[in-house]
Amino acid sequence: MKLRESALGVFGDNRRLPIHRWYPFIEGYSSELVAMALDEARDASVVFDPFGGSGTTSLTAALRGSSSFFTEANPYMAWLADVKVNGTRRAVGSGADCERLIAFAAQVERVRVPTVSSEHPLVIASDRRDYFPPGVASEIVGLISEVGERFDQPLRELALVAVAAAITPSSNMLRRTDLRRRTTKDARPADFRAEVAKNLQMVARDVALAGADVRGWAVQIGDDAKFGWSVDEPITAIVTSPPYLNGTNYGRNTKLELLALGFIDGEAGLEGLRTREITAGINNVAKRNAEPIEFPAVEEVAQRVSNASYDRRIASMVRAYFSDMYHVLRRTASYSAPHAELWLDIGDSRYAGVAVPTHTLLAGVAELSGWCQVDERLLRTRRSYDGSALSQSLLKFRRRDVDGSTGYGL
Ligand SMILES: C[S@@+](CC[C@H](N)C(=O)[O-])C[C@H]1O[C@@H](n2cnc3c(N)ncnc32)[C@H](O)[C@@H]1O
């Protein structure tokens, strides 16, 4: 198949692929990008994604017969990746009867669900902030409880993914870089139960169609790519897309799912996620206590941003972002084989008229943390808020050997 470069860096094509499509994650990249990298990799036997997201890297690796490691800060996203890869394998391996999901889909619009407590965090949040049309938050909590009663594992987690994927579409909100309220120009919220029915059928069909092709496991080794994780065998291939500077707020834009499934017990619980996330938004800046590592090239851009903007947090965010990414890249290098390769999908940004060439600065930080850049491909161009052109690139690195050359002796 001919690869369309512009489609590689976005989730779009995954919407048509079995299992990948269970939770459309606009911030994700395509499985084709991962497949291309793994095809190209000198050794794709031990795959790692420090920013696992919805599990595109792990699922693509698993569909090629490889197990992979990932770290992911958002527990809902980590769970989703686990169910897509490991949940599918558990269902196929145990011979679970996915027809039961289809039977449930046929009744779900009529089924009576248990009455739920008005003290449930999702119900409380929705009462306060009008996140759902009347009664929908209780319906969601009730249906989650019904799924728990009706199904044992592994079908339970598959059914829960079908419910989870219906939550935001049936809310008054839209998932964008943040969760934002629908306006009169947007589509009305979907019917929650009809959405669940559709998702249950899709999940059951995909497990039947592609479940046996999932031949690797996805192993979560940590919840912070910067610190605290390790692997027993050297990593040979890393394919990842880090958060973009001032891009998506990954905790907040999945808060309805986090609340519904009990990963946080109130909106204040988002704070815990924010402290381990890469500093990529101005709201994370004040929470930081460690002084960022200073890099001259980053400092020069941070100074220009600081001179051009009234908001001091923007320059602090720029400094903290590259410092955080240094920790991730350094730790990844230290757990990688001498010949390991790293593919980074990254876009640049602009603040107060000042260009922040994220990919160039990140390549510089990578060089200092044990990586040597060997390639750069433009994936697509985007527009910044002020209309100027921004780019999304795929950077490729090889691990530097201790003597300063790469594992390839380049
Ligand atoms: C661009 S998304 C990755 C999308 C992924 N490639 C996919 O296709 O689904 C970046 C992810 O990094 C996660 N993240 C942010 N800070 C992190 C950290 N310190 N450690 C691990 N994951 C982090 C976010 O929660 C988000 O899911």
Side-chain angles (χ1 to χ4, degrees):
M1 185 177 64
K2 173 131 176 44
L3 295 171
R4 285 177 299 123
E5 306 256 313
S6 61
L8 290 176
V10 292
F11 193 84
D13 283 355
N14 290 359
R15 289 174 186 271
R16 293 194 290 274
L17 298 177
I19 311 175
H20 284 287
R21 62 184 177 168
W22 289 356
Y23 185 78
F25 188 51
I26 43 170
E27 303 83 356
Y29 51 28
S30 69
S31 76
E32 283 94 338
L33 182 146
V34 180
M36 184 200 73
L38 297 181
D39 277 345
E40 211 176 278
R42 189 184 186 215
D43 177 355
S45 58
V46 184
V47 176
F48 176 52
D49 184 348
F51 303 103
S54 64
T56 308
T57 303
S58 291
L59 180 55
T60 308
L63 286 164
R64 299 161 62 98
S66 301
S67 292
S68 62
F69 299 107
F70 70 97
T71 54
E72 170 53 50
N74 181 325
Y76 167 64
M77 299 312 295
W79 171 77
L80 194 63
D82 174 74
V83 180
K84 282 159 77 176
V85 179
N86 306 327
T88 300
R89 281 198 88 184
R90 287 189 280 264
V92 173
S94 65
D97 181 8
C98 287
E99 288 294 317
R100 288 186 55 211
L101 297 179
I102 298 195
F104 186 45
Q107 313 159 9
V108 80
E109 293 188 54
R110 300 181 309 276
V111 85
R112 277 174 68 90
V113 298
T115 313
V116 304
S117 156
S118 57
E119 297 300 307
H120 189 282
L122 187 73
V123 179
I124 295 177
S126 188
D127 282 350
R128 281 197 195 134
R129 313 272 302 266
D130 198 23
Y131 287 137
F132 292 94
V136 174
S138 305
E139 288 266 290
I140 293 168
V141 178
L143 198 65
I144 289 172
S145 158
E146 177 64 23
V147 165
E149 293 288 312
R150 205 174 265 251
F151 297 105
D152 291 327
Q153 299 292 30
L155 286 185
R156 182 188 296 163
E157 56 194 354
L158 295 176
L160 283 178
V161 165
V163 176
I167 293 174
T168 301
S170 41
S171 74
N172 293 328
M173 313 299 287
L174 287 174
R175 224 157 41 77
R176 294 292 183 257
T177 53
D178 202 337
L179 204 58
R180 78 152 168 81
R181 203 156 284 282
R182 288 175 199 265
T183 67
T184 47
K185 293 196 189 110
D186 297 310
R188 308 270 320 130
D191 178 89
F192 170 62
R193 294 207 187 202
E195 200 69 10
V196 173
K198 199 173 70 187
N199 293 346
L200 282 165
Q201 285 172 6
M202 170 175 70
V203 168
R205 225 181 303 125
D206 286 0
V207 174
L209 195 76
D213 297 337
V214 180
R215 289 166 291 118
W217 298 104
V219 183
Q220 186 181 12
I221 52 172
D223 60 11
D224 186 347
K226 300 188 287 302
F227 309 111
W229 58 266
S230 61
V231 279
D232 292 337
E233 41 189 337
I235 298 162
T236 62
I238 302 107
V239 189
T240 196
S241 59
Y244 284 10
L245 194 51
N246 208 25
T248 302
N249 190 318
Y250 289 101
R252 270 212 314 250
N253 87 346
T254 54
K255 75 175 156 197
L256 302 181
E257 292 86 345
L258 285 162
L259 286 165
L261 293 162
F263 289 112
I264 53 174
D265 54 15
E267 294 201 42
L270 292 171
E271 192 52 41
L273 267 76
R274 205 156 42 207
T275 51
R276 52 180 187 261
E277 276 172 8
I278 294 291
T279 308
I282 50 171
N283 293 325
N284 311 48
V285 173
K287 323 282 174 209
R288 307 195 62 79
N289 34 32
E291 274 300 305
I293 301 171
E294 199 176 303
F295 302 102
V298 172
E299 193 49 38
E300 196 194 309
V301 175
Q303 280 299 336
R304 267 192 274 137
V305 170
S306 176
N307 295 339
S309 155
Y310 290 108
D311 191 338
R312 292 174 146 259
R313 290 175 304 170
I314 299 183
S316 305
M317 171 186 74
V318 171
R319 293 184 183 104
Y321 177 81
F322 290 101
S323 176
D324 282 356
M325 286 302 298
Y326 173 81
H327 289 295
V328 175
L329 293 167
R330 178 113 194 97
R331 194 169 189 92
T332 304
S334 72
Y335 281 101
S336 292
H339 56 269
E341 291 159 306
L342 157 70
W343 285 261
L344 267 184
D345 162 14
I346 192 71
D348 53 10
S349 3
R350 197 170 181 89
Y351 301 99
V354 179
V356 180
T358 313
H359 53 297
T360 314
L361 294 175
L362 205 50
V365 169
E367 295 269 348
L368 293 170
S369 44
W371 297 96
C372 174
Q373 187 175 356
V374 292
D375 195 13
E376 174 171 345
R377 289 167 69 173
L378 178 70
L379 293 178
R380 64 185 183 123
T381 49
R382 310 172 287 130
R383 290 270 154 210
S384 110
Y385 289 113
D386 65 8
S388 51
L390 295 176
S391 61
Q392 180 180 350
S393 308
L394 185 65
L395 310 181
K396 180 178 174 185
F397 301 86
R398 284 191 190 125
R399 186 177 176 268
R400 226 178 250 292
D401 259 353
V402 271
D403 65 357
S405 65
T406 65
Y408 281 5
L410 290 175

